[in-house]
């Protein structure tokens, strides 16, 4: 998942002035590190992809907000509204990501617990024979 929907939609290889490309590469590096940290929970690539769709959607939404905010003379109120909208998207992303991660880990734990119970039951049956 090196080039996600966010990059496909907003990345401009010819942009050398705005710094957007540097920002994109830095984001990708941070997301890659997060993916590696989450692998310690034995999440599959498919499970990780489902989690990272939440981040991708939030990035796209934030970029839409930024690109829609192009007027020149900002008032303090305008900047506050702009910031509030971005923070709301980030907070929703965080909550959604944590819920999905918790749900995924709980499902994995329950599945592992059932497998262990079956193995223990089979061992007990074999010992009784």
């Amino acid at each position: 998942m090196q080039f996600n929907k966010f990059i496909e939609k907003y990345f401009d290889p010819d942009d050398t002035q705005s710094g957007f490309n540097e920002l994109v590469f830095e984001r990708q590096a941070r997301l890659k590190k997060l993916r590696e940290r989450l692998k310690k929970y034995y999440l599959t690539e498919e499970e990780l992809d489902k989690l990272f769709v939440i981040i991708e959607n939030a990035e796209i939404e934030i970029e839409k907000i930024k690109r829609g905010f192009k007027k020149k003379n900002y008032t303090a109120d305008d900047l506050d509204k702009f910031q509030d909208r971005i923070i709301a998207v980030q907070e929703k992303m965080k909550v959604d990501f944590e819920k999905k991660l918790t749900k995924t880990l709980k499902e994995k734990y329950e599945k592992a617990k059932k497998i262990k119970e079956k193995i223990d039951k089979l061992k007990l049956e074999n010992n009784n024979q």
Side-chain angles (χ1 to χ4, degrees), residues 49-125:
D49 287 345
K50 287 178 182 176
L51 281 169
F52 280 80
V53 164
I54 296 167
I55 294 173
E56 288 175 6
N57 291 339
E59 287 177 332
I60 289 171
E61 187 63 30
I62 289 170
E63 196 57 34
K64 286 178 185 176
I65 292 168
K66 287 179 181 178
R67 290 176 186 259
F69 196 75
K70 295 214 178 216
K71 65 182 196 177
K72 302 284 186 212
N73 299 322
Y74 303 110
T75 66
D77 192 43
D78 292 336
L79 292 174
D80 286 342
K81 288 177 185 175
F82 175 70
Q83 182 179 10
D84 289 345
R85 288 179 64 200
I86 290 177
I87 289 171
V89 171
Q90 290 171 333
E91 288 175 352
K92 182 180 182 323
M93 175 196 63
K94 181 182 175 195
V95 168
D96 291 350
F97 188 88
E98 288 174 352
K99 280 183 185 177
K100 182 74 172 174
L101 177 60
T102 301
K103 180 182 175 193
T104 303
L105 292 176
K106 187 174 182 178
E107 288 170 356
K108 285 185 94 55
Y109 172 77
E110 292 299 324
K111 185 176 179 181
K113 187 175 168 183
K114 287 178 184 177
I115 291 170
K116 183 174 181 336
E117 288 171 357
K118 284 182 183 180
I119 291 172
D120 290 345
K121 184 178 177 183
L122 288 172
K123 282 183 182 178
L124 184 62
E125 288 173 2

